[in-house]
Amino acid sequence: MANQPGLEKVCIIGSGNWGSTIAKIIGNNVMKLDNLDKQVTMWVYEELIEGRKLTEIINTEHENVKYLPGIRLPANVKAVPDILDAARDASTLVFVTPHQFIGGLCKSLKGNIRPDCKAISLVKGVHFDTAEITLISDLISQELGIQVCTLSGANIASEIAREEFSETTIGFKDAKNGELFKQLFHTPYFRVNLVQDVHGVELCGALKNIVAIAAGLIDGMGLGSNTKAAVIRIGLMEMKLFAEAFLDGVCDKTFFDSCGVGDIMTTCYGGRNRRVAEAFAKTGKSFDELEKEMLNGQKLQGTITSFEVHQFLSARNRCHEFPLFDRVYKICYEGLPVKDIIAEF
């Protein structure tokens, strides 16, 4: 399928279960829109599956048999193993990889993308160090010199892939870009809300994974709905407090959109962070062991984010202001007993 000059051309960077789900949505949507090139490229980290290249399987069978088995991908989605080949001629980049890989991918892309390119980050993570917070959207923007929107919400990939109704939030700065990305993602079963708050949408997507670890520990201890609801509420308040303390311009209403209260509820009842934390509390195995056993090559974001948040807060002597975040970190990394997740707040 040849590129169509003058049209928006989409490249999806990432092909896990979420990336493949998004490829299904975007691949179908571009076929209906006059302003978009009909071919969508998807960068795939090449793997061998029973002796066959994963890209070959996707391009011939139109299914990501490792990360999204049983779901047919549109034939206009082309899997490409080289990041520069995938992004060549793209005017629109969709980043959907674990957050620890973004820096390296941006270094590869720098100087090799169109000057009119724009991007959206679906990455649920934030880079913290002792000096500052670097939101993934800002990292991409700084490295590539382009505008970046964000997408986050109550979005479990497998459910969306099966076309079960859900909603998501896109944060934008430029309204024109926000509308373009709404065109790419909105379907009758995947409802998109737009908010003018890139950082708030993104921070919710990162911090809620820490709260999901706490919720999984509660489940692993066999405690009830009252306790879990209290932990989720405390976690949401710490997310909001963190945003107010360290970022400018985050809107209160963002926390009541799908990326806020919606996502925290979904993740604390059905996400991978909750599931692995439950197993941690029940089995005593390490998070590293459980990640390898349970996640089929995917990464556990909540533990990494809790470590980075702790380093950031510790450098400012402010860990005591975020007791739930602090306890999740200490359980994950310092051997604090699981039962102490509900010590008096």
Side-chain angles (χ1 to χ4, degrees), residues 218 221 234 323-324 327 336-345:
I218 297 300
M221 288 189 289
I234 292 165
L324 186 69
R327 289 173 201 173
L336 185 73
V338 171
K339 64 180 178 60
D340 285 358
I341 193 68
I342 52 171
E344 185 176 351
F345 284 93

Side-chain angles (χ1 to χ4, degrees), residues 81 164 206 215 244 261-262 267 269 299 304:
E164 298 176 14
E244 292 169 348
V261 66
T267 307
Y269 281 90
K299 296 297 181 183
I304 298 169

Side-chain angles (χ1 to χ4, degrees), residues 3-20:
N3 293 347
Q4 301 176 50
L7 301 181
E8 296 283 353
K9 176 81 169 69
V10 181
C11 170
I12 300 167
I13 300 174
S15 58
N17 67 337
W18 190 212
S20 298

